[in-house]
Short mmCIF file of all heavy atoms in Angstrom, two decimals:
data_model
loop_
_atom_site.label_atom_id
_atom_site.label_comp_id
_atom_site.label_asym_id
_atom_site.label_seq_id
_atom_site.Cartn_x
_atom_site.Cartn_y
_atom_site.Cartn_z
N MET A 525 60.51 -16.76 39.73
CA MET A 525 60.99 -17.51 38.60
C MET A 525 62.25 -18.28 39.02
O MET A 525 63.23 -17.68 39.43
CB MET A 525 61.32 -16.56 37.46
CG MET A 525 61.98 -17.23 36.30
SD MET A 525 62.58 -16.08 35.06
CE MET A 525 61.13 -15.88 34.09
N PRO A 526 62.26 -19.62 38.92
CA PRO A 526 63.42 -20.39 39.34
C PRO A 526 64.56 -20.28 38.31
O PRO A 526 64.33 -20.13 37.12
CB PRO A 526 62.89 -21.82 39.41
CG PRO A 526 61.74 -21.84 38.50
CD PRO A 526 61.15 -20.47 38.53
N TRP A 527 65.78 -20.35 38.82
CA TRP A 527 66.95 -20.32 37.95
C TRP A 527 67.12 -21.67 37.27
O TRP A 527 66.83 -22.71 37.83
CB TRP A 527 68.20 -20.01 38.76
CG TRP A 527 68.23 -18.63 39.27
CD1 TRP A 527 67.85 -18.19 40.51
CD2 TRP A 527 68.63 -17.46 38.56
NE1 TRP A 527 68.01 -16.84 40.61
CE2 TRP A 527 68.49 -16.36 39.42
CE3 TRP A 527 69.09 -17.24 37.28
CZ2 TRP A 527 68.79 -15.07 39.04
CZ3 TRP A 527 69.40 -15.95 36.90
CH2 TRP A 527 69.25 -14.88 37.78
N SER A 528 67.60 -21.63 36.06
CA SER A 528 67.88 -22.86 35.35
C SER A 528 69.26 -23.37 35.76
O SER A 528 70.27 -22.72 35.50
CB SER A 528 67.85 -22.61 33.84
OG SER A 528 68.22 -23.77 33.14
N THR A 529 69.30 -24.50 36.42
CA THR A 529 70.56 -25.08 36.85
C THR A 529 70.85 -26.29 35.97
O THR A 529 70.33 -27.38 36.21
CB THR A 529 70.52 -25.49 38.33
OG1 THR A 529 69.42 -26.39 38.51
CG2 THR A 529 70.36 -24.29 39.24
N ARG A 530 71.68 -26.06 34.97
CA ARG A 530 72.03 -27.14 34.05
C ARG A 530 73.53 -27.16 33.90
O ARG A 530 74.17 -26.13 33.80
CB ARG A 530 71.36 -26.91 32.71
CG ARG A 530 69.84 -26.88 32.87
CD ARG A 530 69.14 -26.69 31.60
NE ARG A 530 69.48 -27.75 30.69
CZ ARG A 530 69.08 -27.77 29.43
NH1 ARG A 530 68.36 -26.81 28.96
NH2 ARG A 530 69.42 -28.74 28.64
N ASP A 531 74.09 -28.34 33.89
CA ASP A 531 75.53 -28.44 33.74
C ASP A 531 75.93 -28.44 32.27
O ASP A 531 75.09 -28.55 31.37
CB ASP A 531 76.07 -29.67 34.46
CG ASP A 531 75.54 -30.96 33.88
OD1 ASP A 531 74.47 -30.93 33.25
OD2 ASP A 531 76.20 -31.99 34.06
N THR A 532 77.20 -28.29 32.03
CA THR A 532 77.73 -28.17 30.68
C THR A 532 77.46 -29.41 29.85
O THR A 532 77.10 -29.31 28.68
CB THR A 532 79.24 -27.90 30.75
OG1 THR A 532 79.47 -26.76 31.57
CG2 THR A 532 79.82 -27.63 29.39
N MET A 533 77.61 -30.57 30.44
CA MET A 533 77.42 -31.81 29.69
C MET A 533 75.98 -31.95 29.20
O MET A 533 75.74 -32.39 28.08
CB MET A 533 77.82 -33.02 30.53
CG MET A 533 79.31 -33.23 30.63
SD MET A 533 80.09 -33.49 29.02
CE MET A 533 79.51 -35.12 28.64
N SER A 534 75.01 -31.59 30.02
CA SER A 534 73.62 -31.72 29.59
C SER A 534 73.31 -30.75 28.46
O SER A 534 72.55 -31.08 27.54
CB SER A 534 72.66 -31.51 30.76
OG SER A 534 72.70 -30.19 31.21
N LEU A 535 73.91 -29.56 28.48
CA LEU A 535 73.72 -28.62 27.38
C LEU A 535 74.35 -29.13 26.10
O LEU A 535 73.77 -29.00 25.01
CB LEU A 535 74.29 -27.24 27.75
CG LEU A 535 73.52 -26.47 28.79
CD1 LEU A 535 74.30 -25.24 29.21
CD2 LEU A 535 72.16 -26.08 28.27
N ARG A 536 75.52 -29.71 26.20
CA ARG A 536 76.18 -30.27 25.02
C ARG A 536 75.39 -31.43 24.45
O ARG A 536 75.25 -31.56 23.23
CB ARG A 536 77.60 -30.71 25.36
CG ARG A 536 78.52 -29.55 25.62
CD ARG A 536 79.90 -30.01 25.99
NE ARG A 536 80.74 -28.86 26.33
CZ ARG A 536 81.97 -28.95 26.76
NH1 ARG A 536 82.54 -30.12 26.92
NH2 ARG A 536 82.65 -27.86 27.05
N GLU A 537 74.87 -32.28 25.32
CA GLU A 537 74.06 -33.42 24.86
C GLU A 537 72.79 -32.93 24.18
O GLU A 537 72.36 -33.50 23.17
CB GLU A 537 73.74 -34.34 26.02
CG GLU A 537 74.95 -35.11 26.52
CD GLU A 537 74.70 -35.84 27.82
OE1 GLU A 537 73.64 -35.64 28.45
OE2 GLU A 537 75.60 -36.61 28.22
N GLU A 538 72.17 -31.89 24.72
CA GLU A 538 70.97 -31.33 24.09
C GLU A 538 71.31 -30.74 22.73
O GLU A 538 70.57 -30.93 21.76
CB GLU A 538 70.36 -30.25 24.99
CG GLU A 538 69.09 -29.66 24.43
CD GLU A 538 68.52 -28.56 25.30
OE1 GLU A 538 69.00 -28.34 26.42
OE2 GLU A 538 67.57 -27.91 24.82
N PHE A 539 72.44 -30.06 22.62
CA PHE A 539 72.87 -29.50 21.33
C PHE A 539 73.06 -30.62 20.31
O PHE A 539 72.58 -30.52 19.18
CB PHE A 539 74.18 -28.72 21.50
CG PHE A 539 74.77 -28.27 20.19
CD1 PHE A 539 74.28 -27.14 19.55
CD2 PHE A 539 75.80 -28.98 19.60
CE1 PHE A 539 74.80 -26.74 18.34
CE2 PHE A 539 76.33 -28.58 18.39
CZ PHE A 539 75.83 -27.46 17.76
N ILE A 540 73.73 -31.69 20.70
CA ILE A 540 73.98 -32.82 19.78
C ILE A 540 72.67 -33.45 19.35
O ILE A 540 72.46 -33.76 18.18
CB ILE A 540 74.90 -33.86 20.45
CG1 ILE A 540 76.29 -33.28 20.68
CG2 ILE A 540 74.98 -35.13 19.64
CD1 ILE A 540 77.04 -32.91 19.43
N THR A 541 71.75 -33.64 20.29
CA THR A 541 70.46 -34.25 19.97
C THR A 541 69.70 -33.41 18.95
O THR A 541 69.16 -33.94 17.97
CB THR A 541 69.61 -34.39 21.25
OG1 THR A 541 70.33 -35.17 22.20
CG2 THR A 541 68.28 -35.05 20.95
N LEU A 542 69.68 -32.10 19.15
CA LEU A 542 68.97 -31.22 18.23
C LEU A 542 69.69 -31.11 16.88
O LEU A 542 69.05 -31.06 15.83
CB LEU A 542 68.79 -29.83 18.84
CG LEU A 542 67.89 -29.76 20.07
CD1 LEU A 542 67.94 -28.37 20.69
CD2 LEU A 542 66.46 -30.12 19.70
N ALA A 543 71.02 -31.09 16.91
CA ALA A 543 71.79 -30.94 15.67
C ALA A 543 71.73 -32.19 14.80
O ALA A 543 71.88 -32.09 13.58
CB ALA A 543 73.24 -30.60 16.00
N CYS A 544 71.50 -33.35 15.40
CA CYS A 544 71.46 -34.59 14.63
C CYS A 544 70.09 -34.87 14.01
O CYS A 544 69.95 -35.83 13.26
CB CYS A 544 71.89 -35.77 15.51
SG CYS A 544 73.65 -35.74 15.90
N GLN A 545 69.11 -34.05 14.33
CA GLN A 545 67.79 -34.25 13.75
C GLN A 545 67.80 -33.86 12.26
O GLN A 545 68.58 -33.01 11.84
CB GLN A 545 66.75 -33.41 14.49
CG GLN A 545 66.48 -33.90 15.88
CD GLN A 545 65.46 -33.03 16.59
OE1 GLN A 545 65.06 -31.99 16.09
NE2 GLN A 545 65.07 -33.45 17.78
N GLU A 546 66.93 -34.49 11.52
CA GLU A 546 66.82 -34.22 10.08
C GLU A 546 66.40 -32.78 9.84
O GLU A 546 65.45 -32.28 10.43
CB GLU A 546 65.78 -35.17 9.47
CG GLU A 546 65.67 -35.10 7.97
CD GLU A 546 66.90 -35.64 7.28
OE1 GLU A 546 67.54 -36.54 7.84
OE2 GLU A 546 67.20 -35.15 6.17
N GLY A 547 67.14 -32.09 9.00
CA GLY A 547 66.80 -30.72 8.62
C GLY A 547 67.15 -29.67 9.66
O GLY A 547 66.66 -28.55 9.61
N ALA A 548 68.01 -30.01 10.62
CA ALA A 548 68.37 -29.06 11.67
C ALA A 548 69.31 -27.99 11.11
O ALA A 548 70.23 -28.29 10.36
CB ALA A 548 69.05 -29.78 12.82
N ASN A 549 69.06 -26.75 11.47
CA ASN A 549 69.93 -25.65 11.08
C ASN A 549 70.99 -25.51 12.18
O ASN A 549 70.75 -24.94 13.24
CB ASN A 549 69.12 -24.36 10.94
CG ASN A 549 69.93 -23.21 10.42
OD1 ASN A 549 71.16 -23.25 10.43
ND2 ASN A 549 69.25 -22.18 9.97
N ARG A 550 72.17 -26.03 11.91
CA ARG A 550 73.20 -26.12 12.94
C ARG A 550 73.74 -24.75 13.34
O ARG A 550 74.06 -24.52 14.49
CB ARG A 550 74.33 -27.02 12.48
CG ARG A 550 73.85 -28.46 12.38
CD ARG A 550 74.92 -29.38 11.91
NE ARG A 550 74.42 -30.76 11.92
CZ ARG A 550 75.04 -31.75 11.35
NH1 ARG A 550 76.17 -31.55 10.74
NH2 ARG A 550 74.52 -32.95 11.40
N ARG A 551 73.84 -23.84 12.40
CA ARG A 551 74.34 -22.50 12.74
C ARG A 551 73.34 -21.76 13.63
O ARG A 551 73.73 -21.03 14.53
CB ARG A 551 74.65 -21.71 11.49
CG ARG A 551 75.87 -22.28 10.78
CD ARG A 551 76.49 -21.28 9.86
NE ARG A 551 77.68 -21.86 9.29
CZ ARG A 551 78.89 -21.40 9.51
NH1 ARG A 551 79.06 -20.35 10.26
NH2 ARG A 551 79.93 -21.98 8.96
N GLU A 552 72.07 -21.95 13.38
CA GLU A 552 71.05 -21.33 14.23
C GLU A 552 71.10 -21.94 15.64
O GLU A 552 70.94 -21.23 16.63
CB GLU A 552 69.66 -21.51 13.62
CG GLU A 552 68.55 -20.94 14.46
CD GLU A 552 68.69 -19.45 14.74
OE1 GLU A 552 69.15 -18.72 13.85
OE2 GLU A 552 68.35 -19.02 15.86
N LEU A 553 71.32 -23.24 15.72
CA LEU A 553 71.46 -23.88 17.03
C LEU A 553 72.68 -23.33 17.78
O LEU A 553 72.62 -23.11 18.98
CB LEU A 553 71.61 -25.39 16.87
CG LEU A 553 70.33 -26.17 16.61
CD1 LEU A 553 70.64 -27.62 16.30
CD2 LEU A 553 69.40 -26.08 17.80
N CYS A 554 73.77 -23.10 17.06
CA CYS A 554 74.96 -22.52 17.69
C CYS A 554 74.65 -21.14 18.26
O CYS A 554 75.07 -20.81 19.37
CB CYS A 554 76.11 -22.43 16.68
SG CYS A 554 76.79 -24.03 16.23
N ARG A 555 73.92 -20.34 17.51
CA ARG A 555 73.53 -19.02 18.01
C ARG A 555 72.65 -19.15 19.25
O ARG A 555 72.81 -18.42 20.22
CB ARG A 555 72.80 -18.23 16.93
CG ARG A 555 73.71 -17.48 16.00
CD ARG A 555 72.91 -16.52 15.13
NE ARG A 555 72.11 -17.22 14.13
CZ ARG A 555 72.55 -17.57 12.92
NH1 ARG A 555 73.78 -17.29 12.56
NH2 ARG A 555 71.77 -18.19 12.08
N ARG A 556 71.72 -20.09 19.21
CA ARG A 556 70.80 -20.28 20.33
C ARG A 556 71.53 -20.74 21.60
O ARG A 556 71.18 -20.32 22.70
CB ARG A 556 69.74 -21.30 19.94
CG ARG A 556 68.55 -21.28 20.85
CD ARG A 556 67.42 -22.08 20.28
NE ARG A 556 67.41 -23.38 20.94
CZ ARG A 556 66.76 -24.42 20.52
NH1 ARG A 556 66.07 -24.36 19.42
NH2 ARG A 556 66.79 -25.55 21.18
N PHE A 557 72.55 -21.58 21.44
CA PHE A 557 73.29 -22.07 22.59
C PHE A 557 74.44 -21.15 22.98
O PHE A 557 75.12 -21.40 23.97
CB PHE A 557 73.82 -23.48 22.31
CG PHE A 557 72.79 -24.56 22.50
CD1 PHE A 557 71.88 -24.86 21.51
CD2 PHE A 557 72.73 -25.26 23.69
CE1 PHE A 557 70.92 -25.84 21.68
CE2 PHE A 557 71.78 -26.25 23.88
CZ PHE A 557 70.86 -26.53 22.87
N GLY A 558 74.68 -20.12 22.19
CA GLY A 558 75.72 -19.15 22.52
C GLY A 558 77.13 -19.65 22.29
O GLY A 558 78.05 -19.29 23.03
N ILE A 559 77.31 -20.50 21.27
CA ILE A 559 78.64 -21.01 20.95
C ILE A 559 78.96 -20.65 19.50
O ILE A 559 78.07 -20.35 18.71
CB ILE A 559 78.73 -22.54 21.15
CG1 ILE A 559 77.71 -23.26 20.27
CG2 ILE A 559 78.56 -22.90 22.61
CD1 ILE A 559 77.84 -24.76 20.28
N SER A 560 80.23 -20.71 19.16
CA SER A 560 80.62 -20.44 17.78
C SER A 560 80.33 -21.68 16.93
O SER A 560 80.31 -22.80 17.44
CB SER A 560 82.11 -20.10 17.71
OG SER A 560 82.89 -21.24 17.98
N PRO A 561 80.12 -21.48 15.62
CA PRO A 561 79.91 -22.64 14.75
C PRO A 561 81.10 -23.60 14.78
O PRO A 561 80.93 -24.81 14.69
CB PRO A 561 79.73 -22.03 13.37
CG PRO A 561 79.21 -20.66 13.64
CD PRO A 561 79.86 -20.23 14.91
N GLN A 562 82.31 -23.06 14.92
CA GLN A 562 83.50 -23.91 14.99
C GLN A 562 83.42 -24.86 16.19
O GLN A 562 83.72 -26.05 16.07
CB GLN A 562 84.74 -23.03 15.11
CG GLN A 562 86.03 -23.81 15.18
CD GLN A 562 87.24 -22.89 15.32
OE1 GLN A 562 87.10 -21.69 15.46
NE2 GLN A 562 88.42 -23.48 15.31
N THR A 563 82.97 -24.35 17.32
CA THR A 563 82.82 -25.19 18.51
C THR A 563 81.71 -26.22 18.31
O THR A 563 81.86 -27.39 18.69
CB THR A 563 82.51 -24.32 19.74
OG1 THR A 563 83.58 -23.39 19.92
CG2 THR A 563 82.35 -25.16 20.99
N GLY A 564 80.61 -25.81 17.72
CA GLY A 564 79.51 -26.73 17.47
C GLY A 564 79.91 -27.89 16.57
O GLY A 564 79.62 -29.06 16.86
N TYR A 565 80.62 -27.59 15.49
CA TYR A 565 81.07 -28.64 14.59
C TYR A 565 82.15 -29.51 15.24
O TYR A 565 82.24 -30.70 14.96
CB TYR A 565 81.56 -28.04 13.27
CG TYR A 565 80.40 -27.59 12.40
CD1 TYR A 565 80.11 -26.25 12.23
CD2 TYR A 565 79.59 -28.52 11.76
CE1 TYR A 565 79.05 -25.83 11.45
CE2 TYR A 565 78.52 -28.12 10.98
CZ TYR A 565 78.25 -26.78 10.82
OH TYR A 565 77.20 -26.37 10.05
N LYS A 566 82.96 -28.93 16.13
CA LYS A 566 83.97 -29.71 16.86
C LYS A 566 83.26 -30.73 17.75
O LYS A 566 83.65 -31.90 17.79
CB LYS A 566 84.84 -28.77 17.68
CG LYS A 566 85.85 -29.49 18.57
CD LYS A 566 86.69 -28.52 19.38
CE LYS A 566 85.86 -27.89 20.46
NZ LYS A 566 86.65 -27.06 21.38
N TRP A 567 82.21 -30.29 18.46
CA TRP A 567 81.47 -31.22 19.31
C TRP A 567 80.81 -32.32 18.50
O TRP A 567 80.79 -33.48 18.91
CB TRP A 567 80.42 -30.48 20.12
CG TRP A 567 80.97 -29.62 21.20
CD1 TRP A 567 82.24 -29.58 21.68
CD2 TRP A 567 80.24 -28.64 21.93
NE1 TRP A 567 82.35 -28.64 22.67
CE2 TRP A 567 81.14 -28.05 22.85
CE3 TRP A 567 78.94 -28.20 21.91
CZ2 TRP A 567 80.75 -27.04 23.72
CZ3 TRP A 567 78.56 -27.21 22.78
CH2 TRP A 567 79.46 -26.63 23.67
N LEU A 568 80.26 -31.96 17.34
CA LEU A 568 79.63 -32.97 16.48
C LEU A 568 80.66 -34.00 16.00
O LEU A 568 80.36 -35.20 15.98
CB LEU A 568 78.95 -32.30 15.29
CG LEU A 568 77.65 -31.57 15.62
CD1 LEU A 568 77.24 -30.67 14.46
CD2 LEU A 568 76.55 -32.56 15.94
N ALA A 569 81.84 -33.54 15.64
CA ALA A 569 82.89 -34.46 15.18
C ALA A 569 83.34 -35.38 16.31
O ALA A 569 83.52 -36.59 16.11
CB ALA A 569 84.06 -33.68 14.62
N ARG A 570 83.53 -34.81 17.49
CA ARG A 570 83.94 -35.63 18.64
C ARG A 570 82.86 -36.65 19.00
O ARG A 570 83.16 -37.79 19.34
CB ARG A 570 84.21 -34.75 19.86
CG ARG A 570 85.51 -34.04 19.82
CD ARG A 570 85.73 -33.39 21.17
NE ARG A 570 86.80 -32.44 21.16
CZ ARG A 570 87.03 -31.59 22.15
NH1 ARG A 570 86.25 -31.58 23.22
NH2 ARG A 570 88.03 -30.75 22.09
N PHE A 571 81.59 -36.23 18.92
CA PHE A 571 80.50 -37.15 19.23
C PHE A 571 80.45 -38.29 18.22
O PHE A 571 80.22 -39.44 18.59
CB PHE A 571 79.17 -36.40 19.25
CG PHE A 571 78.00 -37.26 19.60
CD1 PHE A 571 77.77 -37.66 20.90
CD2 PHE A 571 77.12 -37.69 18.62
CE1 PHE A 571 76.70 -38.47 21.22
CE2 PHE A 571 76.04 -38.49 18.93
CZ PHE A 571 75.82 -38.89 20.24
N ALA A 572 80.68 -37.98 16.94
CA ALA A 572 80.67 -39.01 15.91
C ALA A 572 81.81 -40.00 16.11
O ALA A 572 81.67 -41.20 15.83
CB ALA A 572 80.77 -38.38 14.53
N GLN A 573 82.94 -39.52 16.63
CA GLN A 573 84.10 -40.37 16.82
C GLN A 573 84.06 -41.17 18.11
O GLN A 573 84.34 -42.37 18.12
CB GLN A 573 85.36 -39.50 16.82
CG GLN A 573 86.50 -40.05 16.05
CD GLN A 573 87.65 -39.06 16.01
OE1 GLN A 573 87.76 -38.16 16.84
NE2 GLN A 573 88.51 -39.24 15.05
N LEU A 574 83.71 -40.50 19.22
CA LEU A 574 83.84 -41.13 20.53
C LEU A 574 82.52 -41.33 21.28
O LEU A 574 82.53 -41.84 22.40
CB LEU A 574 84.75 -40.26 21.42
CG LEU A 574 86.16 -40.00 20.88
CD1 LEU A 574 86.87 -38.96 21.73
CD2 LEU A 574 86.95 -41.28 20.84
N GLY A 575 81.43 -40.89 20.71
CA GLY A 575 80.16 -40.99 21.40
C GLY A 575 80.04 -39.92 22.47
O GLY A 575 80.65 -38.86 22.38
N SER A 576 79.30 -40.20 23.52
CA SER A 576 79.07 -39.18 24.55
C SER A 576 80.34 -38.86 25.34
O SER A 576 80.44 -37.80 25.95
CB SER A 576 77.96 -39.62 25.50
OG SER A 576 78.33 -40.82 26.15
N LEU A 577 81.34 -39.74 25.32
CA LEU A 577 82.62 -39.45 25.99
C LEU A 577 83.37 -38.32 25.30
O LEU A 577 84.17 -37.62 25.91
CB LEU A 577 83.50 -40.70 26.04
CG LEU A 577 82.99 -41.85 26.88
CD1 LEU A 577 83.92 -43.05 26.76
CD2 LEU A 577 82.87 -41.43 28.33
N GLY A 578 83.10 -38.12 24.01
CA GLY A 578 83.77 -37.06 23.26
C GLY A 578 83.30 -35.67 23.62
O GLY A 578 83.92 -34.69 23.22
N LEU A 579 82.21 -35.56 24.37
CA LEU A 579 81.68 -34.25 24.75
C LEU A 579 82.32 -33.71 26.02
O LEU A 579 82.12 -32.55 26.36
CB LEU A 579 80.16 -34.33 24.92
CG LEU A 579 79.38 -34.74 23.68
CD1 LEU A 579 77.89 -34.82 24.02
CD2 LEU A 579 79.62 -33.78 22.55
N ALA A 580 83.12 -34.52 26.69
CA ALA A 580 83.78 -34.06 27.91
C ALA A 580 84.90 -33.09 27.56
O ALA A 580 85.43 -33.10 26.44
CB ALA A 580 84.34 -35.25 28.67
N ASP A 581 85.25 -32.24 28.51
CA ASP A 581 86.34 -31.29 28.30
C ASP A 581 87.65 -32.03 28.09
O ASP A 581 87.92 -33.04 28.75
CB ASP A 581 86.47 -30.35 29.49
CG ASP A 581 85.35 -29.34 29.56
OD1 ASP A 581 84.79 -29.00 28.50
OD2 ASP A 581 85.03 -28.87 30.66
N VAL A 582 88.45 -31.50 27.18
CA VAL A 582 89.76 -32.08 26.88
C VAL A 582 90.82 -31.10 27.37
O VAL A 582 90.71 -29.90 27.17
CB VAL A 582 89.91 -32.34 25.37
CG1 VAL A 582 91.27 -32.90 25.05
CG2 VAL A 582 88.82 -33.27 24.88
N SER A 583 91.86 -31.64 28.00
CA SER A 583 92.93 -30.79 28.51
C SER A 583 93.65 -30.10 27.36
O SER A 583 93.87 -30.67 26.29
CB SER A 583 93.93 -31.64 29.29
OG SER A 583 95.04 -30.86 29.67
N ARG A 584 94.04 -28.85 27.59
CA ARG A 584 94.79 -28.09 26.60
C ARG A 584 96.29 -28.24 26.80
O ARG A 584 97.07 -27.66 26.07
CB ARG A 584 94.42 -26.62 26.69
CG ARG A 584 92.99 -26.35 26.35
CD ARG A 584 92.74 -24.88 26.38
NE ARG A 584 91.32 -24.60 26.35
CZ ARG A 584 90.82 -23.41 26.19
NH1 ARG A 584 91.61 -22.38 26.05
NH2 ARG A 584 89.53 -23.23 26.17
N ARG A 585 96.68 -29.00 27.79
CA ARG A 585 98.08 -29.19 28.09
C ARG A 585 98.77 -29.87 26.91
O ARG A 585 98.28 -30.85 26.36
CB ARG A 585 98.21 -30.06 29.34
CG ARG A 585 99.61 -30.33 29.75
CD ARG A 585 99.63 -31.11 31.06
NE ARG A 585 100.98 -31.45 31.38
CZ ARG A 585 101.38 -32.67 31.70
NH1 ARG A 585 100.51 -33.65 31.76
NH2 ARG A 585 102.63 -32.89 31.98
N PRO A 586 99.93 -29.37 26.51
CA PRO A 586 100.65 -30.00 25.39
C PRO A 586 101.11 -31.41 25.74
O PRO A 586 101.43 -31.70 26.90
CB PRO A 586 101.84 -29.09 25.14
CG PRO A 586 101.91 -28.15 26.28
CD PRO A 586 100.62 -28.20 27.01
N LEU A 587 101.15 -32.27 24.75
CA LEU A 587 101.61 -33.63 24.98
C LEU A 587 103.12 -33.68 25.15
O LEU A 587 103.64 -34.54 25.85
CB LEU A 587 101.19 -34.53 23.82
CG LEU A 587 99.68 -34.69 23.62
CD1 LEU A 587 99.39 -35.51 22.38
CD2 LEU A 587 99.06 -35.35 24.84
N HIS A 588 103.83 -32.76 24.47
CA HIS A 588 105.29 -32.72 24.55
C HIS A 588 105.72 -31.29 24.84
O HIS A 588 105.08 -30.35 24.43
CB HIS A 588 105.91 -33.17 23.24
CG HIS A 588 105.59 -34.59 22.90
ND1 HIS A 588 104.38 -34.98 22.39
CD2 HIS A 588 106.32 -35.72 23.00
CE1 HIS A 588 104.37 -36.28 22.19
NE2 HIS A 588 105.54 -36.77 22.55
N SER A 589 106.85 -31.18 25.51
CA SER A 589 107.43 -29.87 25.76
C SER A 589 108.88 -29.89 25.30
O SER A 589 109.61 -30.84 25.56
CB SER A 589 107.36 -29.57 27.27
OG SER A 589 107.94 -28.33 27.53
N PRO A 590 109.30 -28.86 24.58
CA PRO A 590 110.69 -28.88 24.09
C PRO A 590 111.70 -28.74 25.22
O PRO A 590 111.45 -28.29 26.28
CB PRO A 590 110.75 -27.66 23.18
CG PRO A 590 109.60 -26.82 23.53
CD PRO A 590 108.59 -27.69 24.19
#
């Protein structure tokens, strides 16, 4: 049995494609992909705002430091 070699971006794109379909159960998709609903809705919001560029990882580094 061959291993599934898929990168993070392709999994996120597949999640977005399935979640945008009519009548999709987004919470069930989150369970299937092994992510929290908060993360799933975050990806959907970023995709709606920035398109496929919004699915890339964003740095957690603070913009300002005291």
